Amino acid sequence: MMAFQKPTGTQDLLPGVVEKWQYVEEKARDLCRRFNYREIRTPIFEQTSLFVRGVGETTDIVEKEMYTFDDKGNRSMTLRPEGTAGVVRAYVENKIYGEPDVSKLYYIGPMFRYERPQAGRQRQFHQFGVEAIGALDPAIDAEVIALGYQLCVELGLKDVKVEINSVGNPTSRAAYREQLLGFLRPMKDTLCKDCQSRMERNPLRVLDCKVDQDKFVGAPSILDSLDEESLNHFAKLKAYLDDFGVDYAVNNRLVRGLDYYTLTAFELKAQGIGAIDTVGGGGRYNGLVGDIGGPDQPGIGFGIGLERIQLILEHQNIDVTTLAPLDVYFVALGEAADREVNRQLFKLRQSGLSGERDYLGRKMKAQMKSADRFKARYTAILGDDELERGEIALKSMDTGEQQTVKLEDLVTAIQGK
């Protein structure tokens, strides 16, 4: 029995697996470069009140899932359960709103929620997310949705689609609230305890319940309560998505799990395992910047779960193994040759090539097996005799062809191949 094990709901990403994560992250970074989003890195923990105010008191995150602790100054701190609140806090604190253009930002990193671990859901999980702050134009909504959609497509996920809804502005949402309460109150006693406690505080959150979904089939649609402003915004969003060729469907019961959403709400889906098909989602948060203490600035963003991406990639048998082969594996035969190999290996790495050597004193046959395991393009074999002549044997691991090159020309010879 080991003395220590990883905490429940966490995982070790080992060599051979972590490369798959790097592949997805590199795809996301490249896509953000093409869409002109810049990376932001915020603290892993923040003041608890930031998440209570930013995420919402009636959310599962705040009520049940946050990792909260008092620091040595008796200040309540929380490990970040999602990315948007921290990004918006940084946007306000650092006065990024003073820049003349829309702030287009992205993040990649760990989040923390205390919940029952299951497939695609961990207590420490990782998200890629984007935030676009400063524009009301539905064109930016479409751009954000299209970026997430395009990531899924370029990763090769099957049956990628988007579900969208409008949760309206405060005026239209207030009208819908009364209609929804009229529908929910007669069934209150049959709903789960969470729905009962949330009904009066935030009835839209009841629609997000995973326990009582079958009871909401006849619920009024928020789309019927939208005012002209909200309807126009939603119509333009759909037109832009049509222009992009994004495969989307309207889901009038989609409200997402966070309190700060206004107007656009959406989820990204792909062919998954049973009910596990949601890759990520997001929406507009036009009042959040002001709630956190900044000027009244609109914003929209999403978060995509990287664990969920990996799960679906595996389920769909999409091979993203990208273990880069070594350029050269050095084999040293003799003490003097061993020292020269060290010098040549460092010189090779300085030039930008990748290389490795044996550190276990093994025979040549065992060293050649290591070269195979590392998928080396070439092995460079140096014995004392070759060293005296200032030469080294260079063998292609694909063709088996071997040639002799001058030691001082080794790097150049490999770079030219």
Side-chain angles (χ1 to χ4, degrees):
M1 185 71 178
M2 287 184 58
F4 300 102
Q5 295 180 323
K6 63 182 179 294
T8 300
T10 66
Q11 57 183 328
D12 298 314
L13 300 178
L14 305 178
V17 173
V18 77
E19 288 83 4
K20 297 179 180 181
W21 285 68
Q22 291 170 346
Y23 175 85
V24 172
E25 291 165 8
E26 287 165 8
K27 280 279 189 184
R29 292 181 191 279
D30 180 63
L31 204 57
C32 286
R33 176 191 61 80
R34 285 144 54 192
F35 278 68
N36 195 33
Y37 284 71
R38 297 178 297 165
E39 185 175 9
I40 184 171
R41 302 186 185 189
T42 62
I44 286 179
F45 63 94
E46 302 261 10
Q47 296 177 55
T48 301
S49 56
L50 170 67
F51 299 115
V52 173
R53 178 175 293 183
V55 176
E57 293 185 26
T58 63
T59 61
D60 283 345
I61 293 173
V62 170
E63 289 186 334
K64 302 176 181 179
E65 299 171 358
M66 295 202 308
Y67 276 93
T68 298
F69 60 95
D70 288 339
D71 68 8
K72 293 187 177 182
N74 291 321
R75 293 168 292 245
S76 182
M77 297 290 174
T78 294
L79 299 179
R80 63 185 184 195
E82 57 92 48
T84 300
V87 170
V88 172
R89 190 269 313 147
Y91 173 84
V92 172
E93 182 176 349
N94 295 284
K95 296 182 173 58
I96 300 176
Y97 52 78
E99 296 179 358
D101 298 310
V102 175
S103 295
K104 297 167 65 173
L105 308 166
Y106 79 90
Y107 60 84
I108 299 176
M111 311 291 164
F112 305 85
R113 296 183 192 174
Y114 188 87
E115 53 187 345
R116 184 170 63 86
Q118 53 188 290
R121 189 172 298 223
Q122 299 289 327
R123 291 179 178 175
Q124 176 178 313
F125 60 101
H126 300 77
Q127 280 191 345
F128 158 64
V130 306
E131 313 291 349
I133 308 175
L136 278 167
D137 192 336
I140 198 73
D141 301 40
E143 177 182 284
V144 166
I145 293 171
L147 194 160
Y149 176 84
Q150 190 64 22
L151 175 63
C152 296
V153 169
E154 292 191 12
L155 287 172
L157 301 186
K158 300 182 181 109
D159 294 336
V160 180
K161 57 192 65 176
V162 179
E163 290 188 356
I164 63 172
N165 193 24
S166 176
V167 295
N169 56 23
T171 301
S172 58
R173 199 157 55 249
Y176 177 65
R177 184 181 188 277
E178 294 308 311
Q179 290 187 34
L180 183 59
L181 280 172
F183 172 82
L184 293 173
R185 279 173 178 149
M187 65 175 72
K188 181 175 180 179
D189 292 342
T190 69
L191 300 178
C192 72
K193 290 182 179 179
D194 286 340
C195 287
Q196 291 180 25
S197 68
R198 290 173 181 156
M199 186 181 297
E200 299 298 333
R201 293 181 294 161
N202 191 348
L204 269 71
R205 284 281 294 114
V206 175
L207 296 180
D208 197 44
C209 176
K210 302 300 185 287
V211 177
D212 292 323
Q213 276 298 311
D214 59 323
K215 298 174 183 176
F216 307 142
V217 174
S221 169
I222 192 170
L223 298 178
D224 295 332
S225 296
L226 297 183
D227 59 14
E228 186 176 358
E229 175 193 31
S230 301
L231 283 170
N232 287 340
H233 189 279
F234 197 46
K236 289 179 180 178
L237 168 64
K238 290 185 287 185
Y240 287 128
L241 292 177
D242 288 336
D243 291 343
F244 294 160
V246 171
D247 185 6
Y248 73 88
V250 176
N251 176 358
N252 62 17
R253 283 160 57 190
L254 174 64
V255 296
R256 299 288 297 158
L258 306 179
D259 285 356
Y260 51 58
Y261 288 126
T262 58
L263 297 174
T264 303
F266 64 94
E267 288 187 344
L268 297 157
K269 295 179 176 288
Q271 183 188 96
I273 304 171
I276 302 175
D277 62 353
T278 301
V279 176
R284 258 199 180 275
Y285 44 85
N286 287 352
L288 183 59
V289 176
D291 286 345
I292 288 177
D296 187 18
Q297 290 283 348
I300 183 168
F302 68 70
I304 287 179
L306 298 186
E307 280 83 359
R308 191 64 60 86
I309 287 276
Q310 293 295 335
L311 188 70
I312 294 176
L313 285 171
E314 182 178 358
H315 176 68
Q316 295 185 359
N317 296 314
I318 299 170
D319 185 11
V320 295
T321 302
T322 56
L323 183 61
L326 279 178
D327 290 310
V328 184
Y329 189 94
F330 283 89
V331 175
L333 305 173
E335 188 173 336
D338 186 82
R339 183 168 181 182
E340 179 60 25
V341 156
N342 250 4
R343 192 178 75 85
Q344 290 291 332
L345 177 56
F346 187 67
K347 181 180 175 183
L348 179 103
R349 289 166 170 168
Q350 284 180 310
S351 75
L353 297 172
S354 61
E356 188 56 280
R357 56 152 294 174
D358 177 64
Y359 293 100
L360 300 175
R362 293 175 294 188
K363 302 293 185 183
M364 181 176 176
K365 184 177 180 180
Q367 293 186 53
M368 295 298 287
K369 286 182 178 179
S370 280
D372 278 333
R373 284 194 296 273
F374 286 118
K375 303 184 187 305
R377 294 169 53 220
Y378 296 94
T379 52
I381 306 166
L382 184 65
D384 289 343
D385 290 344
E386 290 86 359
L387 180 59
E388 285 186 12
R389 297 193 299 269
E391 297 174 341
I392 191 168
L394 188 64
K395 178 181 179 181
S396 168
M397 297 296 283
D398 285 335
T399 66
E401 180 184 349
Q402 185 168 311
Q403 60 178 307
T404 300
V405 299
K406 293 289 185 182
L407 281 169
E408 61 265 26
D409 298 332
L410 177 63
V411 169
T412 304
I414 296 167
Q415 287 175 331
K417 294 183 180 297

